[in-house]
Amino acid sequence: MTTKIENSTGQVAATLDKAIIITVPYCKLTKSPLNVRANAPLTGIEGLADSIAAAGLNQNLVVHEIKGKRKADLRYGVAAGGRRTAALDLLFSRGLIDENYPVPVKVVLDADARLISLTENLEREPMGPYQEIMAFAALIEDGRSVDFIAAAFHVPAMTVYRRLRLAGVAPELLSLLLTDEITLEQLHSLALTEDQDMQRRVWAAADGQSYLRSPNRLRSAITASEEQISECRLAKMPGMLDEYTAAGGEIRIDLFSERDDAGYIANMPLLTTLAQARLQAVVDEFKAAGWMWAEYRAGDVEYQVRESWLYLPRPNPVVSEESAQQIAAMEAQLAVLTERDDAISALLDDEGRELSGEEEAELEQIDEARSELQEKIKELQQGAPIVYADEDKAVAGVMVSVDRSGQIKIDQGIVRKCDMADAVRLGADLRDCWGDKSATIGRMIAKASAPKPVHSESLIRSLTAHQTAAVQAEMIAQPNVALVILTHTLLCREFRSSGYYDRRGQASEAVTVSCDGLPHELLKAAGDLADSVAWQARQVAHEAWAAKLPEGFAKSFDWLLAWPQEEVIKLLAYLTAVSVNGISGGERRLDQMADVLNLDMTRYWQPTAEGYFSRVNKDRVVAVVTESVSAEAAVPLVGMKKGQASAAAQELLADRGWLPTMFQSAE
């Protein structure tokens, strides 16, 4: 880099040596568009003007011609000597020189003017970010390379690339740097897109809301439909990004991150389609190999799904004949060691005594020898294929998934709960994922044959979301109860209690003392919650408190110290209320809270076709109408289609106060 700097300096010196000094009238001087510090503040002008007034201008300016339509319109743009020109301007304004004052200059070509301006500025204080951005962009337009600019400015090439990216930001936004109305970090976020209209929209959308203009918020607004490469397991699959870009997919590079995998997938549907095709190809291979079933997940397998699996015993890897003989010999040694270990343990049990020093040392040697043998067996089996028998494949399947590092994970020999009875009948030696069998098998088979629950997990989550919102609304109206619940929760945690319990003996950790993401979670669990009475009450309280908060409330709590204690307590009660989270996939209730609050769910929830009847089976719809209205009223529903029966049930039960068991009082 030193050589490049010397070369650029030498080029400037050669250019100036060739130029001769002439004088031009002061009135012919003008600002040069090629000056890299065109908008930089100038200092020391008063003293310099006094010096020129006393001794004249002893150092020439460097200028280039700016031609007009006529010869008389010729002007000279000052490429080097901005402070001297400013001093002349001051003298002219004071009447100490006139417009014909002779100014010594050297005239250079436009192509050299910007480089000369740059070289002069290298000896001065660093330019501001705006001047640097504009200078880099202008030098590129002049045909200078990134490496040349990096050498001349003593910065890494990446810094030049980043400044050039910022030069592509909408001009009116970039110019805000001059008045400190925007930060470099905010510009970094806006520069994620080259679409200046999008930059303007994102910036304007956050007008008057400073928190929305944080770099992270701006970045999120621009990449709302995209996913970070560093967080996308599909993008990490070997070769997937190359396949994606070959198919026309765009990667939004984040030049301002230090991570090697910084950037965003701009077309997630395309990437997902390509990844699914690759996973499907793997699945098809297993199906062709004779497995009963094969599926894939473009991520982790859900816990509930994995919990319902049992596994066939894993066959030993198919190793070479030589390795097989070595493994057999080591397994024989392991059997001898295990037999000796068992013998010592049995002797101690019979004699009812503790280990002697010699016995303890022998057992330690046995453990070390066993670990060493097991490690050697593992090394011999490493990479060897696992081959299941055809009769095993006939009752089991394979799950293909993608782990967080993007590697494809294969789970073979899985028996689903719906196939367990057949697998056991055929003599399959099933185990769960921990290797246990017997009781696990019986429990899983019984579970597979058990009747389906009345309410699906998604419906229960919806109902418990409604119940949570109702509890929140009641707690907002009864702040004394909210404070008691918060105090009791913190009390149990401080004194290492496992929490208070409801009438079923279940822990009731409902207060999380955190509102992060909870409104979104509630609305996601229950699609019809936003129109409910409970939710509207919550929103009214939220808006009322929001109106009381001062601007910038998150930056300090001095304002809160000045509030009346009674008002602070009310705010604490409200925040406690909205932190309640009773969403559950099982039919548990916020019993203790509901009882203390005298919660009447009929005020907050009504059975509707959309919210309840369409999400249970038709027999349940008929049973509810029979129970709440009459058997006669339920008869017509038997012959209806499910949608018609759901609508009819909604009409029949309107204002009757019917509630699912989970909403009813426990008394």
Side-chain angles (χ1 to χ4, degrees):
M1 181 173 289
T2 302
T3 302
K4 291 180 180 178
I5 295 173
E6 291 173 350
N7 288 343
S8 65
T9 305
Q11 184 178 344
V12 169
T15 300
L16 292 177
D17 285 343
K18 292 179 183 178
I20 61 174
I21 297 178
I22 64 172
T23 59
V24 299
Y26 161 76
C27 63
K28 292 290 186 178
L29 299 179
T30 187
K31 287 185 176 181
S32 169
L34 306 181
N35 192 314
V36 298
R37 299 182 70 105
N39 295 296
L42 300 174
T43 58
I45 304 304
E46 285 272 0
L48 183 55
D50 292 341
S51 174
I52 294 174
L57 185 60
N58 296 321
Q59 185 179 359
N60 65 275
L61 309 181
V62 178
V63 300
H64 62 97
E65 292 184 350
I66 301 177
K67 295 179 180 179
K69 293 182 179 180
R70 299 175 302 171
K71 187 175 181 180
D73 294 333
L74 177 66
R75 292 287 185 272
Y76 295 93
V78 180
R83 292 179 67 251
R84 281 162 278 160
T85 304
L88 291 173
D89 292 341
L90 181 59
L91 292 174
F92 180 77
S93 69
R94 293 175 176 176
L96 298 177
I97 63 173
D98 60 21
E99 61 182 14
N100 293 314
Y101 181 81
V103 180
V105 301
K106 283 188 175 184
V107 183
V108 298
L109 298 175
D110 290 3
D112 296 318
R114 200 184 315 270
L115 180 60
I116 291 170
S117 172
L118 165 63
T119 304
E120 180 191 51
N121 279 286
L122 291 176
E123 299 174 359
R124 294 168 53 185
E125 60 189 37
M127 291 184 289
Y130 180 83
Q131 287 77 26
E132 191 173 85
I133 291 167
M134 303 309 293
F136 287 5
L139 287 169
I140 289 293
E141 289 181 4
D142 286 347
R144 306 297 182 182
S145 69
V146 168
D147 287 340
F148 177 90
I149 298 171
F153 279 79
H154 301 267
V155 296
M158 179 54 73
T159 298
V160 180
Y161 283 116
R162 288 170 174 170
R163 292 296 194 248
L164 293 175
R165 175 63 71 85
L166 293 180
V169 173
E172 63 270 31
L173 297 179
L174 185 57
S175 65
L176 295 177
L177 269 178
L178 295 171
T179 53
D180 293 329
E181 294 177 72
I182 199 168
T183 67
L184 275 176
E185 290 72 19
Q186 289 171 318
L187 283 173
H188 292 170
S189 297
L190 292 174
L192 279 172
T193 177
E194 296 179 5
D195 184 343
Q196 293 187 354
D197 287 337
M198 175 180 277
Q199 295 167 358
R200 295 183 183 100
R201 287 196 305 272
V202 169
W203 186 257
D207 188 27
Q209 303 179 74
S210 58
Y211 73 97
L212 291 179
R213 284 184 173 172
S214 70
N216 286 338
R217 291 276 189 160
L218 294 174
R219 186 178 296 108
S220 297
I222 288 174
T223 61
S225 62
E226 303 170 7
E227 188 166 344
Q228 291 189 59
I229 294 174
S230 59
E231 301 296 328
C232 180
R233 62 182 70 195
L234 298 184
K236 295 177 184 178
M237 293 173 67
M240 182 52 67
L241 286 182
D242 292 337
E243 186 177 344
Y244 167 75
T245 53
E250 178 189 352
I251 295 177
R252 193 187 297 282
I253 300 299
D254 185 356
L255 281 180
F256 305 98
S257 174
E258 300 299 329
R259 293 179 62 105
D260 293 335
D261 56 355
Y264 296 81
I265 302 297
N267 190 342
M268 276 305 298
L270 174 60
L271 179 71
T272 302
T273 298
L274 295 172
Q276 288 176 340
R278 185 184 293 190
L279 295 171
Q280 185 61 52
V282 177
V283 164
D284 291 342
E285 289 180 9
F286 281 108
K287 287 182 177 178
W291 289 95
M292 180 183 182
W293 59 271
E295 298 176 4
Y296 72 80
R297 294 285 192 278
D300 292 323
V301 180
E302 300 87 342
Y303 172 77
Q304 295 86 346
V305 174
R306 189 175 293 280
E307 190 182 39
S308 69
W309 291 345
L310 288 180
Y311 288 84
L312 296 171
R314 182 180 174 87
N316 289 326
V318 180
V319 298
S320 65
E321 184 176 346
E322 180 182 354
S323 295
Q325 292 176 354
Q326 294 176 357
I327 290 173
M330 286 186 281
E331 286 178 339
Q333 295 177 51
L334 281 173
V336 171
L337 291 171
T338 300
E339 185 178 350
R340 176 56 182 160
D341 189 330
D342 292 343
I344 294 175
S345 298
L347 181 64
L348 294 176
D349 289 341
D350 291 342
E351 297 179 359
R353 62 179 177 82
E354 295 182 354
L355 284 170
S356 67
E358 293 181 357
E359 289 168 335
E360 186 172 0
E362 184 179 358
L363 287 178
E364 288 180 0
Q365 291 176 353
I366 289 173
D367 287 341
E368 291 177 3
R370 271 198 300 213
S371 296
E372 185 177 345
L373 287 169
Q374 290 167 347
E375 190 62 33
K376 288 181 178 179
I377 291 173
K378 185 177 179 181
E379 289 176 2
L380 288 172
Q381 294 176 334
Q382 190 74 31
I386 304 294
V387 180
Y388 284 81
D390 290 343
E391 56 268 26
D392 288 338
K393 295 179 182 179
V395 295
V398 178
M399 178 61 76
V400 179
S401 59
V402 182
D403 67 17
R404 293 186 180 277
S405 66
Q407 298 301 311
I408 293 180
K409 182 180 178 182
I410 308 294
D411 274 331
Q412 301 183 62
I414 301 168
V415 178
R416 299 174 299 194
K417 64 180 183 181
C418 58
D419 304 321
M420 288 175 190
D422 291 339
V424 171
R425 188 164 54 252
L426 293 173
D429 188 18
L430 301 181
R431 289 172 170 76
D432 63 18
C433 55
W434 295 279
D436 298 329
K437 47 180 295 188
S438 61
T440 299
I441 297 173
R443 184 175 66 253
M444 297 298 280
I445 292 177
K447 184 177 179 181
S449 59
K452 291 184 178 181
V454 172
H455 299 144
S456 66
E457 181 178 347
S458 64
L459 176 54
I460 294 173
R461 289 183 63 82
S462 175
L463 295 175
T464 53
H466 275 280
Q467 187 180 41
T468 298
V471 167
Q472 290 182 354
E474 289 291 343
M475 286 176 66
I476 290 171
Q478 303 179 53
N480 59 316
V481 177
L483 292 174
V484 167
I485 290 172
L486 174 62
T487 303
H488 188 249
T489 299
L490 297 177
L491 176 70
C492 292
R493 293 177 184 176
E494 169 64 19
F495 291 95
R496 301 298 185 267
S497 169
S498 58
Y500 54 80
Y501 291 83
D502 62 20
R503 291 185 179 84
R504 297 186 183 91
Q506 296 173 321
S508 300
E509 280 284 347
V511 179
T512 60
V513 198
S514 172
C515 304
D516 291 346
L518 182 54
H520 173 74
E521 185 179 354
L522 289 168
L523 293 172
K524 183 179 179 181
D528 57 343
L529 182 61
D531 297 326
S532 69
V533 174
W535 189 259
Q536 295 304 318
R538 187 189 193 282
Q539 291 303 97
V540 168
H542 176 87
E543 292 170 7
W545 280 110
K548 293 182 179 182
L549 300 179
E551 185 176 354
F553 67 87
K555 296 179 180 179
S556 168
F557 50 77
D558 292 345
W559 60 273
L560 197 54
L561 291 172
W563 268 24
Q565 188 176 31
E566 181 182 355
E567 194 74 357
V568 175
I569 291 174
K570 289 180 180 178
L571 175 58
L572 178 60
Y574 163 75
L575 295 174
T576 301
V578 296
S579 73
V580 172
N581 186 355
I583 297 177
S584 170
E587 294 201 18
R588 70 177 180 83
R589 301 180 304 199
L590 299 172
D591 281 347
Q592 191 166 357
M593 286 189 180
D595 289 350
V596 171
L597 294 164
N598 293 318
L599 176 63
D600 179 4
M601 279 302 296
T602 60
R603 294 176 53 204
Y604 298 102
W605 185 87
Q606 293 289 328
T608 63
E610 179 185 358
Y612 186 80
F613 293 117
S614 64
R615 303 176 69 177
V616 295
N617 61 41
K618 187 176 170 183
D619 290 342
R620 173 63 174 171
V621 176
V622 173
V624 170
V625 172
T626 301
E627 169 196 335
S628 186
V629 186
S630 67
E632 292 77 10
V635 170
L637 276 64
V638 176
M640 295 180 183
K641 292 184 177 180
K642 175 65 179 302
Q644 295 173 323
S646 298
Q650 174 180 321
E651 185 175 349
L652 288 167
L653 268 71
D655 300 323
R656 285 184 173 269
W658 178 85
L659 294 173
T661 305
M662 61 183 298
F663 283 168
Q664 296 172 12
S665 172
E667 296 179 354

